[in-house]
Amino acid sequence: MLSIDNLHVRIDGKAILKGIDLDVGSGEVHAIMGPNGSGKSTLANVLAGRENFDVTQGEVKYLGEDLLALPSDERACKGVFLAFQYPVEIPGVSNVYLLKAAVNARRKYHGEKAIAAGEFLKLVKEKVKMVDMKEEFLQRAVNEGFSGGEKKRNEIFQMAVLEPTLAILDETDSGLDIDAMKIVADGVNALRREDRSMIVVTHYQRLLDYIVPDRVHVLADGRIVKFGDKNLALELEKEGYGWIRDRLEREPGAATR
Amino acid sequence: MSAVGQDIEKLVKREYKEGFYTEIDSDTFPPGLDENVVRAISRKKEEPEFMLEWRLKAFRRWQRMEEPRWAHLRFPKIDYQSISYFSAPKGERPKSLDEVDPKLLETYEKLGIPLEEQKALAGVAVDAVFDSVSVATTFREKLADAGVIFCPISEALQEYPELVREYIGGVVPAADNYFAALNSAVFSDGSFVYIPKGVRCPMELSTYFRINEMNTGQFERTLIVAEEGSYVSYLEGCTAPMRDENQLHAAVVELVAKENAQIKYSTVQNWYPGDEQGRGGVYNLVTKRGACRGANSKISWTQIETGSAITQKYPSVVLEGDNSIGEFYSVALTNNMQQADTGTKMIHVGKNTRSTIISKGISASRGQNTYRGLVKIVKGADNARNYSRCDSLLIGNHCGAHTFPYLESKNPSARIEHEATTSKISEDQLFYCMQRGLNEEDAVSLIVNGFCKEVFRELPMEFAVEARKLLEISLEGAVG
Amino acid sequence: MSERFEQLLAERSRLDLPGAGVDWVETIRNENARRFEELGLPTPRDEDWKYTNIEPIARKSFTPADTGESLTGRDLRAIAIPGLDVHRAILIDGHYSPTLSNAGELGDGVRICSLAEAIDEQPDLVQPWLGRLAAEPEHGFRALNSAFLQDGIFIWVPDGCRIDTPIELCCVQHGEPEETVSQPRHLVVAGEGSRLTLIERYVSLHDKRYLTNAITEVFARRNARVDHYKLQQESTKGYHIGSWLIEQHAGSHVMTHNAALGGATARTDIRVRLDGAHAHCDLNGVYVLNGRQHVDTHTKVDHCVADTSSDEFYKGVLNDRSRAVFHGRVVVHPDAQRSDARQRNKNLLLSPDAEVDSKPQLEIHADDVACTHGASVGQLDDDALFYLRTRGVDEETARGLLTFAFANDVIEKFELPRLRHYVEHELTSKMFSIDDLEEII
């Protein structure tokens, strides 16, 4: 489904990603872990098409297509969804209004008719329950005045409505207490499907207790330094990220390989 | 949605759709202005003598005044002798809709304002003003049943001369300012509304202004009187054909609200804005003022200003009655070469008076947008309160957004609070919307609509939708 | 209205002016004399003078103050800021006093001297800067000052030089006759990477009617840091018109602190041109007025290039029949992207006969900006008053305490503790009788 090959990315001239290789198969859940500043969020944002990033090398194929050539809205219409680490507030625009615009943008892209009002309402009412939120929540302005937990749940809610093919969750667990994290994880698990892949970006292992990944990749200093199955996450939990730093210091060549 | 998306798609190649011209025989004065023209207008309208005197007095004052140039606006000097001060479709004024020239009915239908009552928007009565005259007023009988007078002001001068005489110039004196003086001398028509004591007007009242003839100025005068305990909601809309020449629109609107009365006045202004190079367009130089005469009265102005090459207007409220309330909600958009200098004045005279100002300015392309507002608390206005919020949004690097509030207080128990921000649409908001699948233009339009929401929700339902569309259309080409 | 001032202008010929006969100096004078004749004195019809009527000034026949009376150090002790160690430059009635000043030789090429001396001895240091920010006078008063171009203080800080001890520039009004005018003209050039703290004071030793019409030009060159304090302590009958004209180059940081304490009618213009990337300016100010004082603060910050920022914060307290005018304009010029401007003005209106007029203004010609302003007029918070009362504080003291706290918000930003205490003291003694004061502080 997604194939990243030797991806190099710079921001303001500074190298952030230094050669990422990653293959995500259909229906798989991949976790990307790593210390702060390792480039995790950059990777998530580059895949979603944020500007201000300079891709200097490498390519990304999504469903056989060159993903990087597409503007962000087209990627979204093709099923790429980013759950933001810091969801943006849009004053005056209600949640439900944005979602309807988003649903119809997709439909239009695929040459379908706009969704009927009744059908849409039924859909969102059903999905909003999934993240344990009240219906009033739909009428509130996007993320405005939401608590941290509400913002994150809102992202999962949007994901449920938009039904992406590739979902990228950027530190969706950060700032959540254990109850909120369970709600988010339950939502995500309910959305796992054979034809839907997920990339879960996280600093901590604890989210992976609830969302069990097929593969775990450790990102450090702009490249994947280790990968394995779900047990790798447990190993990291025990040992922390210190060993990575040690290794990078011991083998400076690792940083330029 | 993606109503927004589709509209934009559909309208990308759209021209100013109200920009057509109606071929109709008209009786138009040759250009030029002197006392004879003033007399001729008064004669045409078969006005009572006092009105002619009033006009002449205003005209003489106007001749001694100078065109004001203090606003943040740049436009060439207006040649008042090159304008025609009266133009009307030929023939007698129709007595009923059946007698109205079908071409006129068609014109309004094309503008989305059907005048036949069965086709009309339910619950909205319309006075249609075409160049210098009112051509039709709908639902008059239904309104008369409730005791409401809604008719062209020229007709009111014939049928209720004493009523008009009592109030005209009472809020905006004939020589209040240069353009008000000009209007007082040459105004040709406009609407007159009188809501008797205790009556809640059963429908929305609306006037639709249309400039059709070339080189014609439009000088309408609207007067609304709400007696004790009454309520009225009034809406005006405006359009004009596309022309390379500029046209002048200098209106005066006066509102009087007595004890416990409420007037809600909404404007959707879509005069021809000129083309991308700034050729043509209407000069919209208007004086609008309301007086909250009685205790507990309320006047609320809502304006959506998307048209005109030049806009200068400050719908104001003089809060005379104790506990009276003044409100001003405004969205002003300037795109291409448009310029606007608009805002309000809230003059607090009575005790416990309150005012709220919410202004949203949007500047795109080379547009210049200025908010200018005065909050004045006079000495006796104990416990007066004002809250103002002025936000400006910039789209593109060649436009300007300016915020010039004036706060004057002479009362130690009054509170005034003013806040303003100026910024561009945030990259984060755009990316967020686009990540959800919206294209850039839709994303901008969505965010701008959200930005204006506080104002849109003050509009009557039917017009809120219109206003939103208008905004999207007016923003066209601003992105990219 | 300006006739009397035109007569005043004619008196230039009999004065001993700095750089008399020097071509470039005379050019400035003549050009501005011509401009004054065109401009005349401002009237309330001028938008920038809408709320300040200077007719009482225009009606009087002011004559240039004579060479300063001889004062002794003892006379000055009364007006010194207690405990504050400064280099002092003194002007008496607009004339430099070498005997009372002690800021002469600071070494490292630093110059603190009279403008007249600088023009005579080091014209090459003066000529490129003098008059540069006043070339296009905004109003008659500025043209008048330049038409005389009288003496004042010249401060030159070479590149990389830090002056840690503040320089106190003290303009003392002392002369005997009523209705004199002094027009000090100061020039400050802070070299690249230099550091300077300047305290500019206008003080009167007697309660006389006179006019001060001052201009201070300040240049903060690349990466310079200038802290500029102004204490306007004119007599209760005195008139004060003062302009601070500031130009900032890349990376410079200027802090202006403006405390308006005295004067019958006082107007201070502050103009800041942010002319290099990462230049930043803070404008703080406080006015506490009583009696029939009229104080007008008129600021304008020009963000001329990209990546500049400004932060303005003015507070005012109005008692009795006083009137305050605040006008603050921020202009972001085309292409001055990433300009960041904040502006706040808050007023406490404490008397039914006082008046405040506030005019914050944003004029924005670039899109990638973050600009905000806020203004308010109000009174003391009833809840806070009540709270203090329940704690046993009597009403008058409670009011005093809250009023002081309101004004102190700005004074807290003064970085010199001794100066801060001095201004606090001056303000509180203006607000309360001394007994109350001791109780409060």
Side-chain angles (χ1 to χ4, degrees):
Chain A
M1 173 164 301
L2 181 78
S3 163
I4 304 176
D5 182 23
N6 192 30
L7 182 68
H8 285 70
V9 172
R10 285 172 176 269
I11 302 176
D12 292 334
K14 191 171 169 245
I16 305 293
L17 299 183
K18 304 170 182 172
I20 300 280
D21 297 305
L22 182 69
D23 280 292
V24 180
S26 197
E28 292 177 359
V29 173
H30 287 232
I32 300 201
M33 303 184 67
N36 292 329
S38 58
K40 302 189 298 287
S41 279
T42 301
L43 179 60
N45 279 289
V46 167
L47 293 178
R50 188 190 273 274
E51 286 169 19
N52 316 331
F53 290 105
D54 215 357
V55 176
T56 51
Q57 251 190 79
E59 62 170 7
V60 179
K61 292 265 191 236
Y62 167 68
L63 299 173
E65 239 187 302
D66 179 5
L67 185 69
L68 300 179
L70 302 174
S72 56
D73 52 326
E74 230 178 302
R75 296 184 202 190
C77 290
K78 286 183 182 293
V80 177
F81 180 90
L82 172 67
F84 282 62
Q85 182 181 4
Y86 304 108
V88 181
E89 300 187 2
I90 311 179
V93 176
S94 73
N95 238 336
V96 66
Y97 194 77
L98 171 69
L99 266 178
K100 198 169 174 197
V103 166
N104 283 330
R106 270 175 180 64
R107 289 188 164 221
K108 191 175 161 203
Y109 186 80
H110 297 292
E112 297 162 17
K113 272 205 323 235
I115 191 166
E119 191 188 336
F120 177 72
L121 210 62
K122 212 177 116 209
L123 175 73
V124 292
K125 282 187 175 177
E126 178 195 314
K127 302 288 186 186
V128 80
K129 283 193 203 113
M130 212 172 104
V131 287
D132 197 28
M133 302 205 76
K134 296 198 179 108
E135 275 178 32
E136 303 102 83
F137 178 79
L138 296 170
Q139 298 305 331
R140 283 171 58 188
V142 179
N143 294 322
E144 201 184 29
F146 286 23
S147 71
E150 283 175 331
K151 284 184 182 173
K152 295 297 173 74
R153 277 191 269 170
N154 195 25
E155 294 295 288
I156 303 304
F157 162 60
Q158 292 189 8
M159 172 172 146
V161 173
L162 297 175
E163 307 220 15
T165 311
L166 173 66
I168 304 156
L169 279 61
D170 187 6
E171 306 222 10
T172 299
D173 53 333
S174 68
L176 294 186
D177 62 29
I178 199 78
D179 293 332
M181 194 161 74
K182 272 187 195 157
I183 293 168
V184 165
D186 287 348
V188 172
N189 284 329
L191 292 168
R192 284 178 83 153
R193 273 185 10 194
E194 276 190 9
D195 56 354
R196 177 175 298 142
S197 309
M198 296 191 190
I199 295 175
V200 180
V201 174
T202 181
H203 184 83
Y204 299 105
Q205 183 270 337
R206 57 173 197 168
L207 179 67
L208 305 180
D209 284 344
Y210 302 97
I211 304 173
V212 180
D214 299 307
R215 303 287 283 171
V216 174
H217 309 262
V218 179
L219 195 61
D221 193 29
R223 68 171 61 78
I224 290 169
V225 293
K226 198 163 182 175
F227 58 90
D229 61 13
K230 63 185 177 189
N231 294 319
L232 177 57
L234 295 171
E235 207 175 296
L236 281 173
E237 171 79 353
K238 240 182 279 155
E239 298 179 15
Y241 291 112
W243 60 271
I244 297 173
R245 216 165 293 127
D246 295 346
R247 194 180 130 188
L248 285 173
E249 272 163 24
R250 267 203 318 276
E251 306 169 45
T256 51
R257 191 167 51 211
Chain B
M1 277 200 34
S2 134
V4 173
Q6 284 160 4
D7 284 344
I8 295 249
E9 285 286 308
K10 206 164 43 193
L11 294 160
V12 163
K13 285 158 214 101
R14 168 202 184 270
E15 297 188 341
Y16 179 73
K17 101 175 141 105
E18 296 81 5
F20 61 89
Y21 169 71
T22 308
E23 286 286 349
I24 195 158
D25 277 346
S26 60
D27 172 7
T28 304
F29 283 13
L33 180 58
D34 57 21
E35 283 203 13
N36 290 330
V37 171
V38 176
R39 284 174 202 281
I41 292 170
S42 189
R43 201 160 45 238
K44 266 258 179 254
K45 299 277 172 188
E46 298 168 36
E47 285 178 352
E49 186 61 24
F50 81 85
M51 206 57 229
L52 175 62
E53 287 308 313
W54 195 77
R55 285 175 181 275
L56 287 171
K57 224 167 118 186
F59 180 69
R60 286 164 197 152
R61 287 293 296 278
W62 177 76
Q63 283 180 304
R64 293 199 302 273
M65 294 166 97
E66 258 179 64
E67 194 184 280
R69 285 289 161 153
W70 43 262
H72 199 96
L73 300 168
R74 280 206 189 108
F75 56 100
K77 214 175 146 34
I78 298 169
D79 179 3
Y80 293 91
Q81 296 306 329
S82 71
I83 296 170
S84 164
Y85 288 82
F86 187 86
S87 178
K90 273 219 168 97
E92 286 282 295
R93 184 179 196 274
K95 298 272 180 301
S96 73
L97 275 175
D98 305 336
E99 294 175 28
V100 176
D101 187 326
K103 267 192 197 158
L104 286 173
L105 293 181
E106 198 187 306
T107 300
Y108 283 90
E109 185 126 16
K110 228 164 133 182
L111 294 168
I113 320 284
L115 297 176
E116 291 96 330
E117 295 189 4
Q118 57 274 30
K119 287 193 201 164
L121 222 43
V124 184
V126 180
D127 182 20
V129 176
F130 192 84
D131 287 330
S132 306
V133 295
S134 165
V135 292
T137 311
T138 64
F139 294 107
R140 290 175 68 166
E141 281 167 25
K142 187 171 172 194
L143 290 168
D145 288 346
V148 172
I149 302 172
F150 178 43
C151 67
I153 199 160
S154 52
E155 199 178 309
L157 271 164
Q158 290 165 6
E159 300 195 5
Y160 319 98
E162 288 314 307
L163 206 50
V164 177
R165 187 177 194 168
E166 186 181 346
Y167 291 103
I168 196 164
V171 182
V172 179
D176 185 79
N177 66 69
Y178 188 80
F179 296 107
L182 177 63
N183 175 288
S184 300
V186 303
F187 79 88
S188 42
D189 222 332
S191 301
F192 175 72
V193 177
Y194 180 81
I195 318 287
K197 189 169 167 178
V199 171
R200 191 181 167 87
C201 185
M203 346 181 49
E204 299 273 343
L205 304 184
S206 158
T207 302
Y208 195 91
F209 296 101
R210 174 78 180 165
I211 300 179
N212 192 57
E213 275 312 306
M214 182 124 127
N215 299 330
T216 304
Q218 195 177 51
F219 306 93
E220 86 270 359
R221 190 153 190 124
T222 296
L223 174 59
I224 299 179
V225 179
E227 290 286 359
E228 268 177 46
S230 65
Y231 170 88
V232 61
S233 169
Y234 177 94
L235 184 125
E236 62 174 356
C238 340
T239 57
M242 288 161 58
R243 297 185 190 288
D244 283 349
E245 297 78 26
N246 296 106
Q247 282 183 296
L248 176 62
H249 172 252
V252 170
V253 175
E254 296 178 277
L255 313 181
V256 177
K258 301 209 179 155
E259 202 173 315
N260 293 313
Q262 273 192 40
I263 301 175
K264 186 172 172 59
Y265 193 107
S266 314
T267 302
V268 176
Q269 186 265 106
N270 185 26
W271 294 117
Y272 177 54
D275 68 9
E276 277 170 45
Q277 277 76 46
R279 268 191 307 260
V282 170
Y283 292 167
N284 186 38
L285 310 164
V286 170
T287 307
K288 290 182 169 178
R289 194 175 303 152
C292 280
R293 287 271 155 81
N296 309 313
S297 54
K298 177 174 172 182
I299 289 178
S300 178
W301 298 99
T302 304
Q303 60 173 26
I304 311 297
E305 302 280 324
T306 59
S308 296
I310 301 289
T311 296
Q312 185 177 9
K313 57 183 279 208
Y314 314 96
S316 308
V317 185
V318 185
L319 296 147
E320 296 166 20
D322 290 350
N323 313 315
S324 58
I325 296 174
E327 293 176 338
F328 175 74
Y329 299 95
S330 170
V331 166
L333 181 145
T334 52
N335 195 359
N336 296 323
M337 300 292 276
Q338 285 178 273
Q339 305 173 56
D341 191 311
T342 182
T344 182
K345 295 182 202 175
M346 293 290 173
I347 316 290
H348 292 255
V349 181
K351 298 187 189 354
N352 305 314
T353 45
R354 258 143 236 276
S355 62
T356 303
I357 298 170
I358 306 287
S359 162
K360 305 282 177 175
I362 302 149
S363 315
S365 187
R366 311 187 83 84
Q368 293 287 328
N369 205 327
T370 301
Y371 167 82
R372 188 185 302 273
L374 168 69
V375 175
K376 182 173 186 150
I377 314 276
V378 311
K379 215 165 167 164
D382 293 348
N383 299 314
R385 297 280 180 271
N386 162 266
Y387 174 75
S388 309
R389 171 148 200 102
C390 304
D391 296 318
S392 302
L393 201 60
L394 295 144
I395 303 173
N397 190 25
H398 299 289
C399 53
H402 319 301
T403 315
F404 302 148
Y406 296 65
L407 280 53
E408 303 178 8
S409 179
K410 290 189 182 184
N411 188 301
S413 61
R415 285 177 202 263
I416 308 179
E417 243 178 283
H418 166 94
E419 291 168 35
T421 64
T422 304
S423 55
K424 67 170 187 173
I425 290 181
S426 96
E427 301 283 346
D428 286 345
Q429 288 178 345
L430 267 182
F431 177 59
Y432 192 77
C433 292
M434 290 177 74
Q435 210 301 305
R436 296 300 180 252
L438 276 67
N439 65 35
E440 192 176 2
E441 198 139 355
D442 284 358
V444 167
S445 146
L446 185 90
I447 294 165
V448 170
N449 264 306
F451 174 76
C452 299
K453 190 167 188 180
E454 276 170 283
V455 175
F456 285 163
R457 70 170 177 222
E458 296 298 323
L459 285 173
M461 249 319 227
E462 302 85 333
F463 301 106
V465 179
E466 274 304 301
R468 206 147 67 191
K469 279 193 195 148
L470 197 57
L471 202 68
E472 280 151 17
I473 293 160
S474 305
L475 264 176
E476 235 162 65
V479 184
Chain C
M1 194 171 115
S2 310
E3 304 80 33
R4 287 163 197 267
F5 275 76
E6 276 162 26
Q7 288 164 18
L8 171 65
L9 198 59
E11 292 193 45
R12 286 191 301 160
S13 54
R14 70 170 184 85
L15 299 175
D16 177 19
L17 298 171
V22 177
D23 273 355
W24 62 270
V25 179
E26 294 298 350
T27 304
I28 294 176
R29 285 201 178 101
N30 294 334
E31 178 61 17
N32 278 279
R34 189 182 63 74
R35 290 292 288 140
F36 178 78
E37 275 159 22
E38 286 167 12
L39 290 164
L41 292 178
T43 73
R45 276 197 303 279
D46 298 316
E47 177 69 17
D48 285 338
W49 294 79
K50 184 178 163 77
Y51 299 115
T52 296
N53 188 353
I54 52 95
E55 215 198 312
I57 301 176
R59 272 203 313 261
K60 297 192 173 59
S61 300
F62 291 103
T63 51
D66 285 331
T67 309
E69 294 279 324
S70 56
L71 286 176
T72 63
R74 189 189 303 264
D75 296 318
L76 293 182
R77 217 164 291 153
I79 56 166
I81 298 168
L84 185 68
D85 182 24
V86 293
H87 302 300
R88 186 171 287 138
I90 304 282
L91 250 61
I92 309 288
D93 297 329
H95 301 275
Y96 182 66
S97 164
T99 51
L100 294 172
S101 304
N102 69 354
E105 289 304 315
L106 282 171
D108 291 338
V110 177
R111 288 285 294 174
I112 303 175
C113 62
S114 78
L115 184 65
E117 188 183 325
I119 291 174
D120 285 347
E121 293 178 7
Q122 288 171 296
D124 51 320
L125 288 190
V126 182
Q127 188 179 359
W129 308 100
L130 185 67
R132 188 159 125 177
L133 299 176
E136 197 32 66
E138 278 177 43
H139 50 72
F141 285 111
R142 263 192 235 164
L144 193 68
N145 178 295
S146 297
F148 279 84
L149 202 72
Q150 285 185 278
D151 209 358
I153 303 298
F154 173 68
I155 299 176
W156 173 271
V157 186
D159 292 354
C161 177
R162 293 174 58 98
I163 305 179
D164 293 321
T165 306
I167 297 164
E168 181 180 346
L169 194 176
C170 203
C171 299
V172 183
Q173 195 67 33
H174 173 62
E176 266 310 304
E178 290 268 345
E179 300 193 359
T180 59
V181 53
S182 59
Q183 305 196 69
R185 178 64 178 246
H186 312 300
L187 174 61
V188 180
V189 183
E192 294 188 1
S194 67
R195 174 91 171 77
L196 167 70
T197 299
L198 178 66
I199 303 165
E200 190 173 326
R201 297 178 68 195
Y202 294 87
V203 197
S204 172
L205 293 178
H206 309 291
D207 197 15
K208 290 219 165 51
R209 191 181 310 286
Y210 57 87
L211 169 65
T212 302
N213 178 31
I215 293 182
T216 308
E217 288 177 279
V218 179
F219 296 87
R221 305 184 68 187
R222 187 177 285 270
N223 297 325
R225 166 71 195 255
V226 178
D227 287 9
H228 195 164
Y229 296 84
K230 174 173 178 174
L231 308 187
Q232 185 271 96
Q233 302 168 276
E234 304 279 16
S235 86
T236 58
K237 290 194 224 152
Y239 301 116
H240 178 95
I241 311 282
S243 295
W244 270 358
L245 311 174
I246 300 168
E247 180 178 293
Q248 288 188 237
H249 301 177
S252 64
H253 181 181
V254 173
M255 277 188 100
T256 69
H257 299 281
N258 177 15
L261 299 163
T265 298
R267 155 93 168 210
T268 294
D269 287 352
I270 301 179
R271 301 288 177 269
V272 182
R273 283 180 59 85
L274 297 168
D275 230 346
H278 306 290
H280 173 82
C281 186
D282 288 293
L283 300 93
N284 298 313
V286 60
Y287 38 88
V288 173
L289 313 182
N290 48 25
R292 288 179 166 272
Q293 279 189 288
H294 180 120
V295 169
D296 181 348
T297 310
H298 197 282
T299 71
K300 182 174 176 225
V301 179
D302 283 286
H303 291 256
C304 302
V305 298
D307 297 301
T308 52
S309 54
S310 64
D311 192 347
E312 178 164 17
F313 190 27
Y314 268 78
K315 277 195 157 185
V317 178
L318 289 97
N319 294 295
D320 306 334
R321 308 179 73 82
S322 64
R323 183 168 181 186
V325 180
F326 172 82
H327 171 114
R329 192 179 188 98
V330 169
V331 182
V332 174
H333 290 256
D335 301 321
Q337 296 294 18
R338 297 172 301 282
S339 288
D340 191 330
R342 290 215 308 165
Q343 190 185 56
R344 282 163 297 162
N345 173 233
K346 295 187 170 196
N347 298 281
L348 262 188
L349 194 55
L350 297 178
S351 154
D353 299 311
E355 174 172 356
V356 62
D357 303 295
S358 178
K359 246 176 85 179
Q361 309 202 313
L362 295 173
E363 187 181 331
I364 315 290
H365 297 276
D367 66 334
D368 191 0
V369 300
C371 300
T372 62
H373 71 204
S376 67
V377 184
Q379 20 331 113
L380 296 174
D381 178 16
D382 284 338
D383 292 340
L385 264 181
F386 177 70
Y387 179 82
L388 289 175
R389 299 289 304 282
T390 64
R391 295 295 174 266
V393 182
D394 70 84
E395 172 147 4
E396 207 191 330
T397 311
R399 285 186 178 279
L401 204 57
L402 290 175
T403 306
F404 177 75
F406 174 85
N408 207 36
D409 223 12
V410 171
I411 303 165
E412 274 173 356
K413 294 176 185 283
F414 286 32
E415 290 193 348
L416 300 171
R418 299 280 186 186
L419 180 62
R420 189 164 65 229
H421 294 151
Y422 175 75
V423 172
E424 280 172 1
H425 175 87
E426 291 296 304
L427 285 181
T428 43
S429 60
K430 229 183 136 177
M431 282 188 268
F432 323 107
S433 67
I434 294 297
D435 290 353
D436 290 338
L437 175 74
E438 279 170 47
E439 207 176 314
I440 287 170
I441 295 185

